[in-house]
Amino acid sequence: MSLLKAAVFDVDGTLVDSERDGHRVAFNEAFAGAGLPDCWDVDAYGRLLEVTGGQHRLRAYLGSRGYNADAATRLAAELHRAKTGLFREMVVDGRIPLRPGVRRLVDELCQAGVRLFVATTGSREWVEPLLHHHFGAATFELTLTGSEVSRLKPDPAVYLEVLRRAGLQPPGVVAVEDSANGLVAAQAAGLSCLVVTNDYTAEDDLHSADLVVDGFGPAAKRIAGGCAPLPDGSVTASTLAALVA
Ligand code: XBP
Ligand code: MG
């Protein structure tokens, strides 16, 4: 394990399958709470995910519905504040579960002495309670969110800031992502990248990833990428180590 120094985890879609039954639902409740008729169905939300960051997503959507730039910006901020509170409630109520296999992998990496970090576009108001709910306070050495960087994924800012604050160089560090936007961000920061797809990202352009699988296992399917081991169909510490070897 000596070459694997650290793993940096994305949150939405990676640690937790949070978009379809989490964020989307909270966005819709925020629309309803504001007396708006808008409602994002499962397919429409998948297309909207191209824009990262909930507030940016709202602004882009409102712009496409004919709001002028100022009105879209103001309303997006108001709706996003409401949505963040609603999503935070879902988090503390335990309604946003980990993806299968995540706890096993994180525990294994901890035991192997691999440093663990989080780099997400999501907002600190819900990311912190989510990580605390599932992992307690001590698992991740540092968590950086969309609230701390001005440019969101696919910009590499959040990854570069994790590396800077952790005193790490890219060799020996693997990013674990679920989407093309996350992959582009991680690779632009110089990191190796494992992509674990979900229903919203299975069709993304992931050809440049070091390894693409459809789950953390067991019975994960290798979709693309070399010969990193997947013992019993599971992503393990040895899988991540092979990506930096
Ligand atoms: C996640 C996001 C987030 C969430 C919503 O992208 O884009 O914006 O969809 O969270 P990634 P907020 O997984 O690539 O980090 O509303 O808090 O932004
Ligand atoms: Mg993601």
Side-chain angles (χ1 to χ4, degrees), residues 10 12 19 23 52-54 57 80 83 120-123 126 153:
D10 172 50
D12 287 304
E19 296 290 6
H23 292 295
T52 59
R57 189 170 303 139
H80 192 250
K83 175 263 167 185
T120 174
T121 290
S123 311
W126 64 260
K153 300 174 189 176

Side-chain angles (χ1 to χ4, degrees), residues 10-14 16 19 120 153 176-179 182 198 201:
D10 172 50
V11 176
D12 287 304
T14 302
V16 286
E19 296 290 6
T120 174
K153 300 174 189 176
V176 184
E177 277 286 353
D178 70 303
S179 69
N198 56 55
T201 63

Side-chain angles (χ1 to χ4, degrees), residues 22-210:
H23 292 295
R24 185 184 69 87
V25 172
F27 281 116
N28 286 338
E29 286 177 6
F31 287 133
L36 296 170
D38 305 74
C39 186
W40 291 346
D41 68 26
V42 170
D43 288 344
Y45 190 64
R47 293 187 290 277
L48 290 161
L49 281 174
E50 203 177 309
V51 179
T52 59
Q55 198 167 327
H56 293 263
R57 189 170 303 139
L58 280 164
R59 194 164 52 225
Y61 167 79
L62 294 169
S64 77
R65 304 288 296 171
Y67 287 79
N68 69 39
D70 280 354
T73 300
R74 255 197 320 276
L75 183 54
E78 184 190 317
L79 289 167
H80 192 250
R81 229 180 347 265
K83 175 263 167 185
T84 298
L86 291 160
F87 187 68
R88 192 185 150 100
E89 276 175 33
M90 297 173 87
V91 163
V92 298
D93 289 349
R95 284 188 278 156
I96 308 297
L98 293 178
R99 285 187 72 174
V102 162
R103 182 173 306 285
R104 172 196 47 75
L105 174 62
V106 167
D107 287 349
E108 197 186 317
L109 291 167
C110 277
Q111 274 159 25
V114 178
R115 298 174 69 188
L116 298 180
F117 300 89
V118 164
T120 174
T121 290
S123 311
R124 181 160 292 277
E125 292 97 308
W126 64 260
V127 171
E128 257 182 12
L130 179 111
L131 295 176
H132 194 269
H133 178 85
H134 287 298
F135 300 104
T139 302
F140 294 100
E141 198 175 314
L142 171 69
T143 295
L144 277 182
T145 75
S147 307
E148 287 88 49
V149 291
S150 50
R151 292 181 312 282
L152 303 181
K153 300 174 189 176
D155 191 284
V158 71
Y159 278 109
L160 291 172
E161 190 60 11
V162 165
L163 293 174
R164 191 185 72 75
R165 293 202 201 179
L168 280 166
Q169 298 294 320
V173 184
V174 178
V176 184
E177 277 286 353
D178 70 303
S179 69
N181 278 325
L183 169 66
V184 169
Q187 290 189 321
L191 302 182
S192 306
C193 190
L194 161 68
V195 177
V196 186
T197 61
N198 56 55
D199 284 350
Y200 272 140
T201 63
E203 303 299 319
D204 281 12
D205 178 2
L206 304 169
H207 75 274
S208 64
D210 297 276

